[in-house]
Amino acid sequence: MADTEKLIALYTLAGERLLELIRSLEEGSYSRRRKEKLLQQVDEILAELTDGAAISMSELLGEAYKEGIREAAGSMLIQGIPKEQINTVLEPIIHHRAVQAIMDDSFFRILEATDNMSMDAKQRIEEVARAAIERMLTDGVSRRQATKEAVARMTEQGITGVVAKNGARIPADKYMNGVVQYNLRKAHVTGAENTITQNGIDLVYVNFVGITCEYCAKYQGRVYSISGADPRFPKLEIRPPYHAHCVHSISAWIEEYQTAEEVERMIATSNRPFTDNRTEANIRRYNEIQRDKSRKNETRKQWMRYKAVLPNDTPDLRRFASLKARDGQAYKDLQELYRRANVVNREQSLPKNVAAIKIYGQNVIMVKDSMLSAGPTWKQQGLAESHLAKRIKRNHVPSDWTLREYEGKIAELVKEPNSQVYRYHLEGFKQDYYVFGDGRQWITILGQDGMMETAFPLDKPSDYRNYLTLDKGYTYLGTVKEVEDGAK
């Protein structure tokens, strides 16, 4: 998955995690304390999202800016300027200010989306309780049934990222996809323009794309004067990108390397009226492409959800799209498998949490390495023996197990690359705790200080999954290997 897609995936997965929080209301009672805990979990999920998105966006913008520099230099080289005469070393302050200005706007959009996601998720949590009570009082249905119906209504749509001027509620991942694409293209164009200007060139060409939208059609395929000093060409007042998913850019246009006929043609083309000049055939084709993109995007997001829950049963994206298009028995079987997996294990629908790994990954590695190098360190003398006795009494382990075998099991959970890792934190905790589990039954919990808390098996896989839920304070990070790789 490309870095840009990984950034968008942060929003897709955060939205899924928030919906899982809302779905967790189907089980247990709805108390003030539980509501406050859920609202706190919303804040924690979005804090992780904001940090992870800001870091990724900053890195992507810097690379897009540099790519614009490279492409501008390439366009000058192709037209005939000797390589040694092309200056691609921008003044640091120019580079910094240019990228920072775009990053400031991007970060504002990140915060805007986060605020809207927070408001939407919290309102839905409140609404579940209100709607359930109303249904119980007016129709006499059971609390469980009323809550289940309310949760179903509140999780039908993705978490809102922004409310458009017409009142449409745009999902967070869709909104941020547009924000990311627009600002990366803007960084690319800005890098190109600064390079062109620094090399003493004033004329730039906006590339021509055959199949495009009505807005881009007005501006593409023209030569512009950056300064406006050349009256033969329009001034570059409106720069690409022209919209969120625009593919237009600029390149140097060097008159000295053009034929007289090409110069005359470009003067005429550049001064044509700023109107949509697309053919009817191009318009139809553009609309077809947009419908196809929308369909493929929905399929890609669905595939990501299936892959997270059923990594071994879900085929690659191309095969998945083919199965979906045919809608045959194989696709129906996969849908049923996905439905059952979600019923059994809602938490399993969370893939590795990239943002959380960046924040807590080093702590996990420190706890892991400390435990494996020195062995389990219990908080007080005799506690290990007490825990082992309890495990034997409850038939969790064979009656002849020794302390060495018990602690060997703990070490196995911590060092196994495929073990699942959770961060455990509730209000009032003085430190974080980290859970290492086998994904089926056994878990061990260690404090950030490296001290052993406990280690025990649950009766069955469904108990394991229901124990490690978001509303109880457990945030899934990833497997041991994913945490170690992501924290580097």
Side-chain angles (χ1 to χ4, degrees):
M1 187 184 294
D3 290 340
T4 303
E5 291 183 335
K6 289 179 182 177
L7 175 52
I8 305 306
L10 291 179
Y11 285 86
T12 302
L13 300 178
E16 290 292 328
R17 293 174 70 194
L18 293 175
L19 291 176
E20 286 301 314
L21 275 183
I22 298 168
R23 293 188 185 105
S24 71
L25 289 169
E26 289 185 11
E27 304 296 333
S29 59
Y30 185 88
S31 63
R32 180 185 182 87
R33 179 181 177 83
R34 187 180 185 192
K35 183 188 79 170
E36 290 175 351
K37 189 184 298 183
L38 288 172
L39 298 182
Q40 180 186 350
Q41 290 286 340
V42 170
D43 290 338
E44 289 183 356
I45 290 171
L46 294 178
E48 293 172 4
L49 172 64
T50 301
D51 290 343
I55 292 170
S56 296
M57 192 67 185
S58 178
E59 294 172 351
L60 288 170
L61 285 175
E63 185 53 41
Y65 188 88
K66 293 174 184 176
E67 181 60 29
I69 294 174
R70 290 191 289 269
E71 285 200 9
S75 72
M76 289 184 267
L77 186 64
I78 289 173
Q79 292 180 73
I81 296 181
K83 185 176 181 180
E84 60 273 12
Q85 294 181 20
I86 301 173
N87 182 5
T88 58
V89 182
L90 295 178
E91 293 292 331
I93 191 168
I94 296 175
H95 169 80
H96 176 75
R97 285 177 176 173
V99 176
Q100 188 60 50
I102 301 171
M103 185 60 210
D104 288 345
D105 178 70
S106 300
F107 192 62
F108 172 78
R109 302 299 174 188
I110 288 172
L111 293 178
E112 178 186 35
T114 302
D115 287 346
N116 287 326
M117 293 174 76
S118 175
M119 185 183 304
D120 187 24
K122 290 177 179 180
Q123 285 177 346
R124 295 193 200 191
I125 289 171
E126 299 271 8
E127 181 61 19
V128 167
R130 188 204 64 77
I133 292 173
E134 180 179 309
R135 181 96 161 86
M136 289 163 59
L137 295 176
T138 56
D139 298 324
V141 301
S142 68
R143 182 200 63 79
R144 183 179 180 84
Q145 180 61 30
T147 302
K148 185 175 181 180
E149 292 174 1
V151 166
R153 287 196 301 273
M154 289 300 105
T155 54
E156 286 177 347
Q157 295 182 330
I159 299 295
T160 300
V162 70
V163 180
K165 292 181 180 179
N166 63 1
R169 304 180 75 85
I170 302 173
D173 55 352
K174 183 177 181 179
Y175 170 65
M176 285 306 300
N177 188 28
V179 169
V180 171
Q181 298 294 345
Y182 177 84
N183 282 292
L184 291 184
R185 176 58 61 173
K186 186 175 181 180
H188 182 282
V189 172
T190 303
E193 183 178 345
N194 285 346
T195 303
I196 292 167
T197 301
Q198 180 154 315
N199 281 271
I201 299 170
D202 183 57
L203 299 179
V204 295
Y205 174 70
V206 172
N207 59 315
F208 178 84
V209 179
I211 306 299
T212 191
C213 69
E214 67 276 15
Y215 191 81
C216 292
K218 301 175 186 178
Y219 301 100
Q220 69 172 358
R222 302 175 189 259
V223 169
Y224 296 85
S225 168
I226 296 175
S227 66
D230 192 329
R232 299 173 301 166
F233 298 99
K235 183 179 181 181
L236 185 65
E237 295 180 315
I238 301 177
R239 292 163 169 77
Y242 302 117
H243 55 79
H245 297 282
C246 185
V247 296
H248 286 90
S249 187
I250 62 172
S251 59
W253 194 80
I254 307 170
E255 186 173 352
E256 290 81 0
Y257 295 97
Q258 312 296 330
T259 64
E261 292 78 10
E262 177 61 17
V263 171
E264 289 302 317
R265 187 189 72 80
M266 193 52 71
I267 290 174
T269 300
S270 301
N271 286 284
R272 70 176 178 80
F274 283 87
T275 56
D276 181 4
N277 65 342
R278 296 177 300 165
T279 65
E280 287 298 323
N282 278 355
I283 292 173
R284 285 195 300 272
R285 181 57 184 151
Y286 173 78
N287 292 335
E288 289 172 1
I289 291 172
Q290 295 310 300
R291 286 192 294 270
D292 187 54
K293 282 184 178 179
S294 177
R295 177 182 57 78
K296 288 181 177 178
N297 189 47
E298 285 303 314
T299 298
R300 183 184 64 84
K301 290 196 290 187
Q302 182 185 1
W303 174 78
M304 287 173 61
R305 294 194 296 269
Y306 275 55
K307 196 69 175 176
V309 177
L310 302 168
N312 298 322
D313 297 288
T314 305
D316 60 37
L317 179 56
R318 180 174 298 197
R319 173 65 176 161
F320 180 84
S322 175
L323 290 176
K324 182 179 179 181
R326 291 199 298 269
D327 195 28
Q329 189 58 46
Y331 180 63
K332 289 181 171 59
D333 291 343
L334 185 60
Q335 284 182 305
E336 179 62 18
L337 194 61
Y338 176 77
R339 186 193 67 79
R340 290 179 179 175
N342 273 314
V343 169
V344 172
N345 182 13
R346 291 195 180 107
E347 186 69 11
Q348 194 179 35
S349 66
L350 299 177
K352 66 177 179 181
N353 188 333
V354 177
I357 289 173
K358 287 185 177 181
I359 297 171
Y360 306 110
Q362 289 296 337
N363 292 342
V364 173
I365 293 172
M366 180 184 67
V367 169
K368 170 180 174 286
D369 290 347
S370 174
M371 202 285 291
L372 293 179
S373 63
T377 303
W378 297 83
K379 291 192 296 184
Q380 61 188 58
Q381 190 174 2
L383 195 58
E385 291 80 2
S386 173
H387 273 265
L388 175 58
K390 186 185 295 185
R391 302 283 80 85
I392 293 174
K393 182 177 181 180
R394 295 182 178 180
N395 295 319
H396 288 162
V397 299
S399 59
D400 59 350
W401 256 33
T402 63
L403 185 59
R404 181 177 180 179
E405 289 171 309
Y406 182 46
E407 293 188 335
K409 180 64 178 179
I410 294 170
E412 177 188 315
L413 291 170
V414 174
K415 70 180 181 181
E416 166 57 46
N418 293 320
S419 285
Q420 298 177 342
V421 183
Y422 292 77
R423 171 185 176 244
Y424 178 39
H425 185 88
L426 290 173
E427 186 177 0
F429 280 12
K430 294 181 180 180
Q431 66 171 348
D432 287 340
Y433 295 85
Y434 295 100
V435 180
F436 296 82
D438 62 7
R440 302 176 302 279
Q441 189 175 28
W442 271 90
I443 65 172
T444 184
I445 304 177
L446 296 91
Q448 189 167 321
D449 58 6
M451 293 290 182
M452 273 294 308
E453 289 293 319
T454 187
F456 59 90
L458 291 130
D459 291 337
K460 52 185 181 294
S462 59
D463 290 344
Y464 172 94
R465 296 152 189 159
N466 292 328
Y467 187 90
L468 299 169
T469 57
L470 285 167
D471 60 324
K472 293 177 182 176
Y474 297 94
T475 300
Y476 182 63
L477 302 184
T479 64
V480 169
K481 185 178 186 307
E482 288 171 339
V483 172
E484 289 180 329
D485 291 344
K488 293 178 180 178

